[in-house]
Each structure stands twice: as structure tokens, then as C-alpha cells.
Amino acid sequence: QAQLVQSGGGLIHPGGSLSLSCAASGFTLERFAVGWYRQAPGKERERLGCIAPNGRTTHYVGSMLGRLTISRDNARNVAYLQMTNLTPDDAALYTCATVGVFCSSTFSADPETAYWGQGTLVAVAS
């Protein structure tokens, strides 16, 4: 079964850093650009950024600009989201998805064809 499996997340102290993983199973992640999203309780899903299939291009959008690094290791079929200087406002469900074959500032996941991770919760508290 083709799927994206996320890991990482959990409780982090304010000012801390966290890395999330998004591993492809049953398909080759290198075929796709990967996007990252988050959704806080009571808020709409927010796009965070994406990375091109070959990893050479990234685009960051949204309110976490300057605090994100998206990377990937195609040999391991994994993409990563690194976050720094986290605040309680960053608490959310973080999700990865395939977003086609291009990464641009307007990236989006096709609702019919995209693979989605199961989401991972990030909580930020003292």
C-alpha cells in the first residue's frame, strides 16, 4: 500500500527546535515534490513550504518563514521538516503530502491523487 508515514513531533519547549520526517512506503518519493502543511485547532490548514523532487528547489510560505528548513533524502525515500525557535503559536498538526512534480510558491496537493501523511502533533509549552 502506497503511503506517507510521518514521525517526529511531540512536546517541545518554547524556543526549541524540532524535526519531522515523512517517509514514503510503496512508491518512490523522488517522483514527487513534497509539501508541508499545518493546522492548528480552530484554524484553516496553512501551507508551510515545499521541496522539488530533486531537492534543489524549496519554497517557503506562511507564517513560519525564516524558521523552516525542508530537505529530503531520496536514497532513503524521506523528506524532512526542521523547525526552529518554536512558540506556543506553532502548536498544530503537521502534515506532509505529495504536491505534484513541481515545487513553487503556489504548491498544492491534488485532492484526488496526492499521498498524505497521517499528520503529527506538535505541542509547544514550558
Side-chain angles (χ1 to χ4, degrees):
Q1 180 181 358
Q3 58 183 341
L4 290 174
V5 179
Q6 294 183 228
S7 60
L11 176 63
I12 192 80
H13 294 304
S17 300
L18 195 63
S19 181
L20 307 180
S21 299
C22 174
S25 176
F27 70 99
T28 301
L29 193 61
E30 188 175 12
R31 296 171 51 201
F32 301 97
V34 175
W36 284 92
Y37 301 78
R38 72 176 182 179
Q39 187 167 18
K43 295 187 178 180
E44 293 187 355
R45 180 184 291 156
E46 178 184 11
R47 298 180 309 125
L48 299 177
C50 62
I51 186 166
N54 63 7
R56 294 177 183 173
T57 301
T58 54
H59 285 279
Y60 300 99
V61 300
S63 59
M64 294 189 76
L65 282 174
R67 297 191 292 125
L68 295 179
T69 301
I70 298 174
S71 61
R72 65 192 298 160
D73 184 342
N74 285 334
R76 297 187 176 187
N77 233 18
V78 182
Y80 303 96
L81 176 68
Q82 294 174 288
M83 303 177 286
T84 62
N85 197 23
L86 290 165
T87 74
D89 288 341
D90 295 317
L93 180 71
Y94 287 74
T95 309
C96 62
T98 55
V99 293
V101 298
F102 297 106
C103 168
S104 71
S105 60
T106 59
F107 72 91
S108 66
D110 187 306
E112 295 189 0
T113 63
Y115 296 104
W116 286 89
Q118 81 277 18
T120 184
L121 283 171
V122 173
V124 184
S126 300

